[in-house]
Amino acid sequence: MGHQEDQATSCGDPACPGSKSTIYVYDDDGICISQTAFPCNVCGRQ
């Protein structure tokens, strides 16, 4: 059974701190088969 990892990454904008998450999906062999990135939630905007 494969697995997925969720990594939070800083947006790198001091004026609008926030983070974005990237979900990596791996197959049974540990090969990354999917990568889904979500946009930053900064300055109160979605």
Side-chain angles (χ1 to χ4, degrees), residues 13-15 26 37 40 45:
D13 186 349
Y26 297 88
C40 293
R45 296 192 306 269

Side-chain angles (χ1 to χ4, degrees), residues 12-41:
D13 186 349
C16 298
S19 63
K20 57 187 174 181
S21 63
T22 304
I23 297 177
Y24 299 94
V25 180
Y26 297 88
D27 66 8
D28 295 344
D29 298 319
I31 298 172
C32 184
I33 56 175
S34 176
Q35 176 178 326
T36 304
F38 294 90
C40 293
N41 297 322

